[in-house]
Amino acid sequence: MKHSTPMPNFKNEIKFLFFCVLIVFSATSFGQTITSFSPTIVTKGTQVIITGSGFTSASEVRFGGTLITVSSWSSTQLRVTVNAGSTGVVTVKNGSNPAVTASGNITYITPSATLSTAAVTRVVTDFSGYWSSSSTSLSPILPNNRHNLAAFTYNGTLYSTGVNDGMLTSHSDVFTPRVFKAFSTDGITGNTGINASNYIALGAIIDGSATALYTSPAVAGLTVRDVLIDGINGLDLGTGVTNVTSSMVMAYKVSNIVPAAINDNEPDVLITQTADPTSVTDVYSFIDVNGNIVGNSISANLSAIDRVGTYRLDLFTLPNNVPYETAVPSGNASANTTRDIRLIAFKFSEFGITAANYALIDKFKLMPGGNSDPAFIAYNASSFLISVPEIVVNPTSKIICVGSTDPITFSVSATGPDLTYQWKKNNINISGATASSYTISSPTSTDVASYSVVVSNIHGSTVSTPATLKIGTGTSQWNGSTWVGGAPAEGQNIVFSSSFTSSGNLIGCNCTVNSGASVTIRTGNTLRIQNGLTVESGGNMTINNSASLVQTNDAAVNSGSISILRNTQPVRRYDYTYWSSPVASLTLHDLSPLTLSDKYFKYDSAINNWVAVPNSEVMVKGKGYIVRAPQTYSITSTQVYTATIFGVPNTGNITIPVARGIGKTNLIGNPYPSGLDAELFLSEPANKLTMGGTIYLWTHATAPNSQGQYAEGDYAKWNLTGPVKATSPTSMVPTGIIASGQSFFVEAVAGTGNVNAIFKNSMRVTGSNNQFFRTQTAQDKNEETVETVERHRLWLNLQNEDGMFNQALIGYLKPASNGIDRDYDGKVFGENSTALYSVISDEKFSIQGRSLPFTDEDVVPLGYNAINAGNLSIALDQVDGLFENQDIYLKDNLLNIVHDLKASEYSFATAAGIFNNRFEIVYQSESLGVENPLWNSESVVVYKKGNAIFVNAGKETIDQVRIFDLQGRLIYEAKQVNSTDATIDNLSLANQALIIQVQNIEGAKIAKKIIY
């Protein structure tokens, strides 16, 4: 029988296989996966990014069941915008396919409504020199140009912004000095609107036209970022952007919040609104590195905030639906219209920022509701440590002189880590112009424009104030009775064909003195030219004492000699003056021909000592020398010496070798026939690497002693923290302007060998060229704008009854630290004089800069060097900034006494020696306890002066004083002294050791040994 095998049921297997293939096909084509989503802690308007696979245009996103709008999609990413209240599980569904659920939930933070106390009620700007307006007293004046916010009132307190505190003081404003700066965004996302509703807003006359002119060089090429960070400290209220769409998100890098600022009740963030707000709210948040809300968000309905002023503006259209990051004006919208100004301010605490969560913060974020109109968003510089670039010196305007093809260079000086630069011409980036300076090699009329530079790093950007390049307008010639071609003006060449004496300042391009003409620039006047000075043979120019010749182009070339008169301070025969030469080829003999031939010296940094030089030596440009007064001068009485300096005036870049090495110093000098700005000189990047940040100026105010030694305390000091005067409380104060012909000491930096310091024409100033010190005014600066620094300072004087005087300065300012800072800390100069100083890491500083924000828990160690035993006193000389209203105490650690320096000076007795731990400056009294005097061998001071013995027991009461010789015999006894000090006169003893026994009223005894 044949065996038979059953046939398989292929029909059923084929059905099953088809079903499996269908399942696989469906999962591959229509299935979706969620890999991650971020952020997870959100608020209204937050954009959440969901990553995964299989996403399509039909993908639906839900948070806790609430449908969320998808802003954009790709197959691997969905971007959604959070609705109000959206929270819970994240799901994604594609059509009829099953929803995919993410691991983790969305947590929604409801924004807090803006408090009424957030409103700023008054603003002060620098429009037309001073403009003030408030919600209760609106100014009838409507600013129509750039104007920087100088102060604002919040919760009843007027806070300055650091733009111009001097302006506020001159108008009798009572304010709390602070520095505010515009946040510099690290990215602007989103596109402009689709109905041409977005505008750049500028003060009505900024474009230079009676009507809106978007092609104006001042307007064309402006970006949203530009108008949010322009002006002093970025605080220009005359420029902004309007009707910002809800698609825009601005994030500001703000890590490194200062913990002490969290609960200080001061405003930390300042928001501006400079057009017509609606009731649609903006949302502000602090977020972490993943975009999660830290603390809570705040919503702001700016239409509910009272206006504080009104201004006139032009509106320039931004193109439709283009990225905010690159959008520039494309048309004119409105001209000379008006809009209102509103501001609000917030504290950290209102965002729920605490000591427990502040370290999580990475950025501050603005999510507009759709109608925002910001000019800037600013921060309190005492609340944030943001390393955004800070421009120290802005570019200066230049002129193409008639007939000149000399190069024109614009430069900027800025501080901050990892800086990059981008120069702009009429707001348009210049290709390849990415250095700190930009040079036009052969300028022509096509280069006439506005130039600015954006300085950036990873923390944000800062834009300079614009500098213009113009063409000169001809020649102004003095013919002996009138100016042919009109009085000299910027852009004109100046020609003197006849003799002339100035009656004020002169300005021009090039200057020529013809043969036969004699020109005198009177005391206090300045001849300021851009390029070269030519003095023809037979012609003459004299720059009187305290007059100036200023040249701004580093490429300027001079020909022909001039005479410069320089007066010293009143001197005696044995006094030395510190000199440098403002002209080429000047010998020391020609500087002071009646000085003894062996009384000319230069400083040898290799040995840190003076070296005599022959009077035939030609003075090196930028090098310092000391020269004794003429031999004909009196030994006791003083008189002024007038030097007549003859030669070709120095100009342009001048380098001078300086030695390196710890403990070394270099004597260098101002090489120009004008004042030199010490801040610009010390802040020059090359000089920051070659020298310390403090200058030491000899005042020769004290006569030499009987051994011919000079007082080391006669050096005044200056750095970016401030000045310290020498010799007496009434001494003139160094202002940071180094006069023509003056030399000064600077500390060497670590290393070996020599490096070059550099002087530049851009460091020269108009005026401020009198002998040694003079009060500096804003006009003295060489056109550049130097950013304002928040400073709070106190000066301390150390004195004795014999007239000895020494001063120390303690200041709080940004960006100083509590460690040793090159720019803000100045060491004691010389160890052989009685001096007061603060102590950092066991080093002595006449000037110390400390970090902001200030806290009254701070403690500053003070030390002193007493050359002789005796009585000294410490007193406040002056204070500024917050110290006007802050208590200042001196703590005597030896006697355990806390003394109020604002009430009176503190007197104490001291032995000779160095005492680095005796005193501290403190700012609280309640935690320090009451005076509790100590009784020990250090607290009792005994010293001999003349024929008297002085005993001082601090705050302890002396009962008895006994004096014994070394054989134990009682020589003197005083009972029931009942005083803290005692004086024993005219003992009939000489040249022997004595034991002084001092007993207090409790019967405790201290014995001290002296030589009588």
Side-chain angles (χ1 to χ4, degrees), residues 185-190 223-225 322-327:
T185 177
D186 67 347
I188 301 175
T189 63
T223 67
V224 171
R225 181 195 297 255
V322 299
Y324 274 111
E325 190 74 29
T326 58

Side-chain angles (χ1 to χ4, degrees), residues 504-787:
N505 294 341
L506 297 172
I507 188 169
C509 264
N510 297 289
C511 180
T512 301
V513 179
N514 288 343
S515 178
S518 180
V519 176
T520 299
I521 307 300
R522 281 180 171 171
T523 295
N525 292 170
T526 297
L527 170 61
R528 178 188 175 91
I529 55 177
Q530 179 168 305
N531 293 328
L533 169 68
T534 300
V535 180
E536 296 179 351
S537 177
N540 178 61
M541 175 175 284
T542 299
I543 308 294
N544 278 352
N545 183 63
S546 297
S548 300
L549 167 63
V550 175
Q551 294 168 273
T552 59
N553 187 351
D554 284 328
V557 176
N558 295 330
S559 65
S561 295
I562 67 172
S563 297
I564 301 172
L565 306 183
R566 298 302 295 159
N567 290 349
T568 68
Q569 293 277 9
V571 291
R572 309 168 192 87
R573 181 189 303 173
Y574 297 144
D575 285 338
Y576 283 84
T577 298
Y578 283 47
W579 288 99
S580 64
S581 178
V583 301
S585 304
L586 180 71
T587 68
L588 289 165
H589 174 270
D590 290 341
L591 175 69
S592 183
L594 296 180
T595 294
L596 286 181
S597 61
D598 62 346
K599 303 305 179 187
Y600 302 86
F601 294 86
K602 61 185 177 182
Y603 195 78
D604 187 342
S605 299
I607 61 173
N608 258 9
N609 210 340
W610 299 103
V611 176
V613 292
N615 60 11
S616 59
E617 180 165 315
V618 174
M619 299 176 71
V620 177
K621 296 178 183 179
K623 189 172 184 63
Y625 301 83
I626 63 171
V627 178
R628 209 172 78 170
Q631 187 63 15
T632 55
Y633 276 35
S634 168
I635 295 174
T636 56
S637 61
T638 62
Q639 67 183 97
V640 171
Y641 171 68
T642 299
T644 300
I645 300 169
F646 187 74
V648 178
N650 296 327
T651 189
N653 291 351
I654 294 172
T655 58
I656 179 71
V658 292
R660 292 186 292 186
I662 300 298
K664 293 184 177 181
T665 53
N666 291 280
L667 184 65
I668 58 179
N670 177 3
Y672 302 116
S674 63
L676 182 81
D677 189 313
E679 180 174 355
L680 301 183
F681 173 73
L682 294 171
S683 300
E684 170 67 27
N687 294 340
K688 290 175 77 74
L689 300 175
T690 60
M691 67 185 68
T694 302
I695 61 172
Y696 300 88
L697 300 155
W698 177 250
T699 64
H700 56 67
T702 305
N705 62 21
S706 57
Q707 288 78 42
Q709 297 171 327
Y710 294 85
E712 289 184 345
D714 274 5
Y715 284 96
K717 299 110 181 164
W718 186 95
N719 67 17
L720 294 185
T721 298
V724 167
K725 57 191 173 186
T727 69
S728 79
T730 58
S731 296
M732 289 185 289
V733 180
T735 63
I737 302 299
I738 303 166
S740 174
Q742 181 176 322
S743 62
F744 53 94
F745 274 110
V746 291
E747 277 194 303
V749 296
T752 58
N754 291 341
V755 287
N756 283 335
I758 188 169
F759 298 89
K760 294 182 176 180
N761 277 349
S762 57
M763 303 169 184
R764 298 166 71 172
V765 295
T766 299
S768 291
N769 193 29
N770 62 345
Q771 189 61 41
F772 290 105
F773 312 130
R774 175 181 177 268
T775 301
Q776 177 194 352
T777 63
Q779 299 94 289
D780 293 333
K781 292 288 185 180
N782 189 12
E783 276 187 41
E784 62 281 303
T785 300
V786 178
E787 297 299 322

Side-chain angles (χ1 to χ4, degrees), residues 208-411:
S209 170
T211 60
L213 185 62
Y214 79 96
T215 56
S216 163
V219 180
L222 277 178
T223 67
V224 171
R225 181 195 297 255
D226 292 337
V227 297
L228 292 176
I229 62 174
D230 57 352
I232 301 175
N233 291 355
L235 305 183
D236 190 346
L237 271 175
T239 66
V241 59
T242 71
N243 295 343
V244 173
T245 67
S246 58
S247 71
M248 176 198 268
V249 174
M250 288 186 285
Y252 306 95
K253 189 77 171 175
V254 297
S255 54
N256 295 325
I257 285 175
V258 177
I262 292 174
N263 295 307
D264 63 4
N265 210 35
E266 291 190 1
D268 299 302
V269 177
L270 183 65
I271 311 292
T272 57
Q273 164 67 35
T274 55
D276 292 333
T278 68
S279 60
V280 177
T281 60
D282 299 332
V283 178
Y284 309 96
S285 310
F286 286 101
I287 60 175
D288 65 16
V289 292
N290 296 312
N292 296 304
I293 304 297
V294 179
N296 56 264
S297 299
I298 295 179
S299 63
N301 174 9
L302 289 164
S303 65
I305 301 297
D306 288 338
R307 60 179 177 164
V308 290
T310 304
Y311 75 117
R312 290 197 171 276
L313 71 158
D314 295 339
L315 293 171
F316 302 94
T317 305
L318 293 174
N320 293 336
N321 198 29
V322 299
Y324 274 111
E325 190 74 29
T326 58
V328 297
S330 60
N332 305 317
S334 300
N336 201 29
T337 187
T338 61
R339 294 291 187 273
D340 294 327
I341 300 171
R342 295 173 171 85
L343 292 90
I344 54 176
F346 298 115
K347 297 177 289 187
F348 284 136
S349 58
E350 292 166 334
F351 286 96
I353 303 304
T354 67
N357 63 15
Y358 81 91
L360 299 174
I361 293 173
D362 181 61
K363 294 178 182 178
F364 180 73
K365 188 176 182 181
L366 161 63
M367 293 178 288
N371 293 99
S372 298
D373 312 302
F376 54 79
I377 299 176
Y379 64 93
N380 187 334
S382 297
S383 304
F384 298 84
L385 300 179
I386 301 176
S387 298
V388 69
E390 295 190 20
I391 292 178
V392 179
V393 184
N394 281 285
T396 61
S397 295
K398 308 286 185 181
I399 289 181
I400 305 173
C401 296
V402 175
S404 173
T405 58
D406 292 336
I408 294 291
T409 297
F410 296 101
S411 61

Side-chain angles (χ1 to χ4, degrees), residues 9-65:
N9 188 347
F10 287 108
K11 181 177 180 180
N12 290 335
E13 291 188 11
I14 289 171
K15 287 182 178 180
F16 177 75
L17 180 63
F18 177 77
F19 176 74
C20 291
V21 170
L22 182 62
I23 293 297
V24 172
F25 180 78
S26 297
T28 303
S29 300
F30 303 106
Q32 300 172 103
T33 62
I34 300 177
T35 304
S36 64
F37 63 91
S38 181
T40 60
I41 304 174
V42 301
T43 191
K44 178 184 176 182
T46 300
Q47 291 193 344
V48 176
I49 297 176
I50 303 170
T51 60
S53 63
F55 302 142
T56 71
S57 60
S59 295
E60 293 181 352
V61 177
R62 293 179 185 270
F63 293 167

